[in-house]
Amino acid sequence: MHILVTNDDGVTAPGLLALAQEMRTLGRVTVLAPDRNWSASGHVKTMERPLRVRETKLADGTPALTSDGAPSDCVALALLGVVKEPVDLVVSGINPNANLGHDVTYSGTVTAAMEAVIAGVSGIAFSLDSPEKHGELDYGPAARMAAKVAARAVKEGWPGNVVLNVNIPYMKDGEFKGVMITRQGLRVYRDELVARQDPRGRNYYWIGGEVPTGVNEQGTDFGALAAGYVSVTPLQLDLTAYNAIDTLQQWKWD
Ligand code: MN
């Protein structure tokens, strides 16, 4: 099995290194990841400028490729031929924060895996539910869990149009309660507008506020993490609200 490893935090991120190292236990690994942090960049296709790819090395000395494109660009570049050998699986992460509920449309980690699915290759996104305040994160247990989940998923198989969004609690080996298949929960965003003035008297803005929380509901990604389980949410790119079609079809067009 040939596995492409990418992320949205940049090729030097420790979560990527941990994931690449564990994926090597499952197959041959190629890394192509952004040269900078693209967190919360969403699903990007760069069209107005050229994309560069260059060779680099991970902190363990193994070769990697890096691009000035977004995470989804990196996956597209790799699958369109920058990586010569066919790719069987794309894994993205490990993101240092969970990607739950509505986060998935903001997430560079998840949209990288979505790009794989668009190209007809299986995609899995891995994120770590790290505590709000932490020192240096230990990605070891999450990376080992990621390899377990990927191995099981590949063995069992899953529909080709489905992205697996995996969120892993911040725990030590042996503390995980298990793996739960979940649906997207509800994130509670606490965004606040921060309005300031630059030295020339012009307004500028930050979207600030506290980190998001979530609704702890059974069966959801948020609920699984709160109970100490690894959450595996199958996502599809078809965002159609099927239950709204009947209502909208009643609209009068004259
Ligand atoms: Mn990120």
Side-chain angles (χ1 to χ4, degrees):
M1 181 163 62
H2 183 206
I3 305 164
L4 176 74
V5 179
T6 193
N7 74 346
D8 78 348
D9 305 302
V11 71
T12 59
L16 176 100
L17 176 65
L19 185 60
Q21 286 176 335
E22 284 301 323
M23 286 296 143
R24 282 190 203 116
T25 65
L26 306 182
R28 205 174 87 68
V29 166
T30 299
V31 173
L32 201 172
D35 63 6
R36 70 199 75 162
N37 193 328
W38 284 80
S39 293
S41 64
H43 204 157
V44 174
K45 180 171 280 185
T46 296
M47 302 183 79
E48 298 297 326
R49 64 180 177 88
L51 294 170
R52 308 280 177 179
V53 177
R54 64 179 176 83
E55 293 177 1
T56 183
K57 279 191 165 60
L58 300 186
D60 64 359
T62 55
L65 297 168
T66 185
S67 163
D68 57 353
S72 39
D73 290 323
C74 289
V75 172
L77 288 169
L79 301 183
L80 287 170
V82 168
V83 173
K84 297 289 179 243
E85 204 180 308
V87 170
D88 306 299
L89 173 69
V90 174
V91 296
S92 175
I94 297 172
N95 197 62
N97 297 105
N99 277 302
L100 308 173
H102 297 341
D103 292 346
V104 300
T105 57
Y106 295 112
S107 170
T109 309
V110 176
T111 52
M114 287 178 172
E115 188 66 23
V117 166
I118 288 174
V121 177
S122 299
I124 311 179
F126 292 103
S127 305
L128 179 60
D129 186 29
S130 56
E132 199 179 321
K133 288 192 174 69
H134 58 76
E136 198 179 320
L137 290 171
D138 177 8
Y139 286 93
R144 286 184 280 278
M145 188 51 78
K148 255 185 211 173
V149 169
R152 174 53 55 185
V154 167
K155 192 162 182 230
E156 301 281 350
W158 73 98
N161 60 341
V162 168
V163 177
L164 300 183
N165 182 32
V166 180
N167 284 279
I168 303 172
Y170 193 59
M171 292 177 158
K172 295 190 171 68
D173 293 313
E175 288 181 355
F176 299 100
K177 294 272 170 56
V179 179
M180 209 180 267
I181 306 302
T182 58
R183 59 188 166 85
Q184 281 177 269
L186 198 61
R187 264 298 203 195
V188 178
Y189 295 101
R190 298 186 286 172
D191 294 347
E192 279 174 19
L193 187 68
V194 179
R196 293 184 183 150
Q197 278 201 337
D198 72 17
R200 295 184 179 81
R202 296 173 301 199
N203 293 329
Y204 69 94
Y205 303 95
W206 283 94
I207 299 169
E210 302 288 312
V211 297
T213 60
V215 178
N216 184 357
E217 200 181 344
Q218 219 183 347
T220 66
D221 45 16
F222 196 88
L225 290 176
Y229 286 82
V230 175
S231 166
V232 178
T233 311
L235 302 177
Q236 57 186 4
L237 277 79
D238 179 356
L239 300 179
T240 310
Y242 288 96
N243 58 5
I245 286 182
D246 277 352
T247 307
L248 270 63
Q249 276 175 339
Q250 308 308 311
W251 289 3
K252 300 276 183 284
W253 302 97
D254 42 30

